[in-house]
Amino acid sequence: MGKARQETEVREQQPHDMDAQDTPAAACGVPEPAPDLEPVPPAQTTASFVYAIGRVEPRFPSLAVEKEVAQVIGREQTAGLTDRQALRSVLTDRSNRYLARQMCWLFTVEGLETYILLPRDPTDVDLLIDALRPEPSVDDVDIVIGVRGPIAPPEACNSLLVPMVIFDQLYSFTCEDLIRELPRPDGQTPEGFRATAEEVFNQIRQVCDNAGSMDEHRALNYLVVRYPAIYARAVEAHAEESALSGVEVRPSPLSGTRSVMDVIFSYVNRRTDFAEKYFVRVDVSEEFPFLVSKLATFYDR
């Protein structure tokens, strides 16, 4: 009896919780269920918007598509047409629209392969075809506005690995078209304004050589094609013997819940080297940038 009482006391002193290796499930080789965990909220992702200046170029995504296009061209009357003109002739035919949807539409910036374009609305494939000029020129300009996606799979464009952009708008024009639509300041001759506007456009385009995905670049690209006041100011600067010497983009002190950029244009007098600055504010919080404040004198703080 004394020995049985001691064994009972020892069992009572042992903890009631058994180790995992002592549980029936563990003994049978079945793993214990994982303890309940708090649900992890999904990661918050912010859309990466694109407002880029470049050119649209068609590419064959595969050998099969290339051969299919060649067969269709072979059935058409293409005498006297270049390869590019023949391709455009085929793609503009409604009966061959399936080929336009199969093509890889590449967006290049200064000749560098930057994005693969995908229309959000399938009917916007017409905008891509319109960007295929029959006679390309160095003055050709394409503006793409959309949302940047992931890197394209290898089969999307013949193993070309660049980001995709789902675009909502695509503008195609020439530098001459842009300058023609700019309002000419009073007292300025058409020839004088054209020369100044073309010089400013080319100057700013050199500054704008970017992928158009950063807020700073989107603000500047927007102003180049949508804000005539910067060209009018350049005309006034030339009349004052000054010239555009630099462009700077920085976050505005007024930025709070929205992303607002200050775009600062510097002009230097050719005689005195006196520098004068003007700035304009652009909101780039969403896909379509817009003007917050008009061009005004900028004072360094």
Side-chain angles (χ1 to χ4, degrees):
M1 291 292 293
K3 182 177 180 179
R5 186 181 300 108
Q6 290 177 356
E7 293 178 352
T8 301
E9 291 175 353
V10 170
R11 286 196 298 270
E12 290 177 352
Q13 292 173 0
Q14 291 177 347
H16 294 287
D17 295 336
M18 295 186 294
D19 293 337
Q21 61 183 6
D22 295 332
T23 61
C28 296
V30 180
E32 280 287 294
D36 293 336
L37 299 176
E38 292 294 327
V40 179
Q44 299 295 324
T45 58
T46 303
S48 178
F49 301 117
V50 169
Y51 199 114
I53 300 176
R55 293 187 185 179
V56 176
E57 293 291 340
R59 297 284 179 87
F60 297 114
S62 66
L63 181 62
V65 174
E66 183 177 0
K67 293 298 184 181
E68 176 67 12
V69 171
Q71 293 181 62
V72 174
I73 292 178
R75 296 194 297 265
E76 302 292 332
Q77 296 294 330
T78 59
L81 299 181
T82 64
D83 290 344
R84 188 182 185 92
Q85 291 170 343
L87 177 61
R88 176 182 170 83
S89 175
V90 166
L91 295 182
T92 52
D93 189 337
R94 300 295 301 181
S95 63
N96 298 324
R97 195 49 51 93
Y98 73 100
L99 292 175
R101 290 191 290 267
Q102 291 291 329
M103 294 291 292
C104 167
W105 296 95
L106 194 63
F107 191 80
T108 65
V109 177
E110 287 299 307
L112 297 178
E113 300 159 337
T114 307
Y115 300 120
I116 291 175
L117 301 183
L118 302 173
R120 189 183 300 275
D121 185 340
T123 61
D124 283 343
V125 71
D126 291 340
L127 298 176
L128 294 168
I129 298 173
D130 291 341
L132 178 58
R133 283 88 161 179
E135 298 179 2
S137 167
V138 293
D139 287 337
D140 292 338
V141 179
D142 296 314
I143 307 292
V144 63
I145 306 172
V147 179
R148 176 173 169 166
I151 299 295
E155 63 273 13
C157 196
N158 201 15
S159 300
L160 181 63
L161 301 179
V162 295
M164 296 181 292
V165 167
I166 297 88
F167 72 87
D168 291 295
Q169 187 56 276
L170 178 66
Y171 299 103
S172 299
F173 53 91
T174 65
C175 175
E176 183 178 355
D177 294 334
L178 175 65
I179 295 174
R180 188 186 304 117
E181 295 298 323
L182 293 174
R184 180 162 49 92
D186 296 336
Q188 184 71 24
T189 64
E191 295 77 12
F193 177 69
R194 175 187 174 85
T196 298
E198 187 172 351
E199 179 181 282
V200 172
F201 179 74
N202 291 330
Q203 274 187 284
I204 299 181
R205 277 190 67 184
Q206 292 178 4
V207 179
C208 294
D209 287 343
N210 57 70
S213 58
M214 298 177 61
D215 287 348
E216 295 87 346
H217 297 157
R218 292 174 56 233
L220 189 54
N221 293 347
Y222 162 79
L223 291 175
V224 169
V225 296
R226 300 293 295 272
Y227 192 48
I230 61 176
Y231 297 97
R233 175 61 205 137
V235 171
E236 295 173 0
H238 283 182
E240 299 166 356
E241 298 189 59
S242 297
L244 179 66
S245 61
V247 181
E248 179 186 359
V249 186
R250 64 176 70 167
S252 172
L254 300 182
S255 293
T257 58
R258 301 188 66 83
S259 179
V260 180
M261 295 288 133
D262 284 351
V263 184
I264 306 167
F265 298 88
S266 299
Y267 300 87
V268 174
N269 188 278
R270 299 187 184 104
R271 289 178 177 270
T272 63
D273 289 335
F274 175 74
E276 193 174 17
K277 296 182 179 181
Y278 293 82
F279 80 108
V280 58
R281 285 198 174 103
V282 180
D283 190 311
V284 292
S285 305
E286 301 170 65
E287 182 176 2
F288 298 97
F290 60 89
L291 206 64
V292 174
S293 62
K294 297 181 180 180
L295 193 67
T297 304
F298 179 80
Y299 299 99
D300 290 311
R301 295 175 176 81

